[in-house]
Amino acid sequence: MPSTTLLVVSALAALVGVAVYLPMQRSTTLFEGPSVVENFGMDRCKRVSGPAFCDDVRVQRNLNLGFLACDPSLPYRNFAASVFDEAKMKEDGALWVYDLNKSGSPAEKLTIKGFEGPFHPSGISFAPTSDDGTPARVVILVVNHVPLEMPRVEVLYYYPARKSLVYKKTISSEHFFAANKIAASSSPMVHQHDDTPSFFVTNDHGYNLTDWKRTYEEKYNLPAASLVYYNARADLAQEVGWRFQLPSAIVASHEDDSLWVAQAKGGTVDLYKSHVLSVEHQEQRVRSADTREPISIIWPGMMNEEIMNTKIFNVGLDYEPESMTLVTISHPKWNNYVAVAKEKLHSRDAAPTTKAGFILSKANLYPVRVGETRPKPRKDVVFDPEETPRRYKYKLFLEPLISNDGSDFGTPSAIAVSGGRALVSSGYEQGFLDCSIAP
Ligand SMILES: *[C@@H]1O[C@H](CO)[C@@H](O)[C@H](O)[C@H]1NC(C)=O
Ligand SMILES: *[C@@H]1O[C@H](CO)[C@@H](O)[C@H](O)[C@H]1NC(C)=O
């Protein structure tokens, strides 16, 4: 006859077993992906030549210019996939510019005037501009991975009339230890002398490359990564979000300091919004870095507003507020992507033996019955949300628009949307895609 203690201990062990097994099972399904990756929608895309090994693409929408962050050393520093050998990072990267008004024209490589030192760009973002027409100058923020050092953020000015890129300054912080993607904030906390905006940065991991805890973070896919906010007037950064699972893309949403975050290893796309929850904890009195006056700053209090369980490995994300278009780019099979990354680390220019494709999805709004998770009313003919508003709410659902098994294009790194078109960059392909996502 087993004792009560033994029964209780066995029950607890079973519970712990299930609690560990289920998330691991979920990750395995997410990383393995479907057995067959379908091919459709490639006729919407054309490949634009120019850059290779790109980690990010963003569109400055007033100018309708795409900027890509590309680096021949990217195969030696794929920190998001934890595949790297920093000693091999010799060649510098660059920003490339692509004019969406001149569709099909190649992208052009930009040199940075006044910049010296290693340049290995990851995330890019632009200071929001109120100019409706053509701004004379755009402030660009770029995450720069200097080998064996802490990543930093470079502030650059772009002058569209002369297609010239000029170095302004470098922003460093101990909180940028695994900095990856960046999103400028539309907060009025803008540096008064050089127009540097405040911004958010994601750390793709919770620990840096040399920290032994990172091994466990990778092995068990722990949600340990963070979100950092930099206040440009105070010249101070602080972590404002925790427990992310490989946050691979961030982009500003409708309101000030509200953000869409893609958690690649979580399979979700989340909306976070800043709230003042406690002035006592969020307010800080500082001497401003620009005018040297005492000012009071409020650190964002990031609250989750929405979680989209997409069940796919979203590596890139973009949102166009004017058209309310949300798009993602995903790895259909993360494991295949990592296999390609490992081969490329070994031999950058050899064709990989594994195929790692992509899926481009667009979010659509559907009415959903309260308490349910599926857009049932699509089948429900008598449904009218206007008449029964309390029983239904609108929810976003991601639906694939273009999918490729890697035969034509793959290993995506980011997506940018503008006026019914989407640019897709890739970590290991030559060139990038310019696709129509119009209905
Ligand atoms: C592209 O076209 C738009 C709309 O006509 C215009 O506002 C923008 O300045 C153009 N971009 C460039 C780089 O000329
Ligand atoms: C990485 O983290 C370890 C342990 O926290 C620390 O000792 C080391 O200085 C960090 N290295 C960098 C480059 O940030």
Side-chain angles (χ1 to χ4, degrees):
M1 191 72 183
S3 73
T4 320
T5 321
L6 186 63
L7 279 177
V8 169
V9 168
S10 315
L12 280 178
L15 270 178
V16 169
V18 170
V20 171
Y21 175 76
L22 286 180
M24 278 175 61
Q25 188 56 36
R26 203 178 61 119
S27 304
T28 308
T29 315
L30 183 68
F31 299 170
E32 196 51 54
S35 53
V36 176
V37 182
E38 288 177 78
N39 286 313
F40 57 83
M42 267 312 266
D43 51 327
R44 289 174 168 271
C45 306
K46 56 174 177 274
R47 191 192 289 248
V48 183
S49 63
F53 307 115
C54 304
D55 206 11
D56 202 8
V57 58
R58 302 279 90 203
V59 174
Q60 207 294 338
R61 296 200 186 95
N62 305 72
L63 296 166
N64 215 19
L65 286 180
F67 286 83
L68 296 110
C70 309
D71 183 4
S73 296
L74 185 67
Y76 313 132
R77 59 163 186 93
N78 190 338
F79 300 131
S82 271
V83 175
F84 54 89
D85 180 355
E86 288 177 276
K88 286 174 142 181
M89 290 171 66
K90 298 280 179 336
E91 277 175 87
D92 271 336
L95 296 192
W96 293 67
V97 65
Y98 174 62
D99 193 341
L100 281 118
N101 287 354
K102 297 183 191 139
S103 175
S105 62
E108 287 174 53
K109 187 176 176 175
L110 298 167
T111 50
I112 309 171
K113 293 189 181 68
F115 185 79
E116 281 172 25
F119 188 62
H120 300 288
S122 268
I124 318 172
S125 190
F126 313 104
T129 158
S130 50
D131 301 41
D132 281 340
T134 308
R137 186 191 71 183
V138 176
V139 181
I140 305 185
L141 307 171
V142 188
V143 174
N144 184 11
H145 286 281
V146 177
L148 307 169
E149 288 178 30
M150 191 113 51
R152 49 195 76 152
V153 173
E154 312 293 358
V155 181
L156 312 172
Y157 291 166
Y158 182 70
Y159 298 91
R162 338 182 220 123
K163 290 192 183 170
S164 134
L165 194 60
V166 179
Y167 171 72
K168 185 61 195 170
K169 70 178 183 188
T170 300
I171 299 171
S172 305
S173 163
E174 58 182 320
H175 298 293
F176 298 163
F177 55 85
N180 188 10
K181 296 295 158 63
I182 186 163
S185 155
S186 49
S187 129
M189 284 288 156
V190 174
H191 193 286
Q192 302 291 291
H193 300 325
D194 63 24
D195 296 339
T196 302
S198 295
F199 57 80
F200 290 94
V201 162
T202 51
N203 283 314
D204 54 54
H205 286 73
Y207 303 97
N208 74 23
L209 298 170
T210 56
D211 195 328
W212 59 271
K213 291 179 199 146
R214 185 177 171 118
T215 312
Y216 291 92
E217 183 181 356
E218 273 294 315
K219 192 169 176 189
Y220 299 108
N221 301 303
L222 300 178
S226 64
L227 179 70
V228 174
Y229 187 78
Y230 170 82
N231 185 303
R233 288 213 65 196
D235 189 28
L236 287 175
Q238 186 170 298
E239 281 175 277
V240 295
W242 297 266
R243 301 195 147 269
F244 292 101
Q245 231 174 344
L246 191 67
S248 50
I250 40 170
V251 57
S253 178
H254 268 95
E255 296 159 64
D256 274 7
D257 292 339
S258 83
L259 279 182
W260 286 105
V261 181
Q263 296 200 62
K265 282 191 175 176
T268 65
V269 172
D270 308 336
L271 179 63
Y272 281 83
K273 204 162 134 186
S274 174
H275 294 268
V276 180
L277 302 161
S278 157
V279 174
E280 188 191 340
H281 293 95
Q282 287 172 252
E283 189 181 43
Q284 191 179 348
R285 303 282 306 171
V286 293
R287 183 169 291 277
S288 73
D290 43 22
T291 58
R292 312 305 305 167
E293 295 160 336
I295 56 166
S296 121
I297 61 167
I298 297 276
W299 292 101
M302 302 309 281
M303 299 269 289
N304 182 274
E305 300 268 319
E306 185 167 345
I307 299 176
M308 255 198 277
N309 264 307
T310 67
K311 299 194 172 78
I312 45 172
F313 203 105
N314 304 299
V315 67
L317 159 79
D318 200 14
Y319 178 73
E320 184 178 49
E322 300 78 43
S323 60
M324 290 172 68
T325 307
L326 181 86
V327 289
T328 66
I329 195 86
S330 324
H331 295 302
K333 290 167 164 285
W334 167 250
N335 290 345
N336 284 10
Y337 170 73
V338 174
V340 171
K342 286 181 178 161
E343 287 188 36
K344 288 287 195 176
L345 176 69
H346 184 66
S347 163
R348 187 187 68 186
D349 301 310
T353 59
T354 314
K355 281 201 282 184
F358 78 95
I359 300 172
L360 187 159
S361 310
K362 194 172 163 184
N364 296 306
L365 269 182
Y366 290 109
V368 173
R369 218 185 284 266
V370 169
E372 294 184 0
T373 52
R374 280 172 210 291
K376 271 251 189 61
R378 282 164 91 192
K379 293 181 201 136
D380 185 349
V381 275
V382 293
F383 165 70
D384 180 0
E386 300 302 319
E387 282 174 18
T388 48
R390 284 191 301 152
R391 290 175 52 209
Y392 295 93
K393 60 182 177 182
Y394 281 89
K395 277 186 69 131
L396 281 169
F397 289 88
L398 272 187
E399 294 177 326
L401 193 64
I402 305 169
S403 172
N404 196 267
D405 63 6
S407 311
D408 299 311
F409 193 84
T411 62
S413 55
I415 186 166
V417 59
S418 173
R421 278 156 77 195
L423 306 182
V424 180
S425 60
S426 164
Y428 299 98
E429 295 271 356
Q430 293 291 328
F432 59 96
L433 295 184
D434 179 348
C435 307
S436 162
I437 57 158

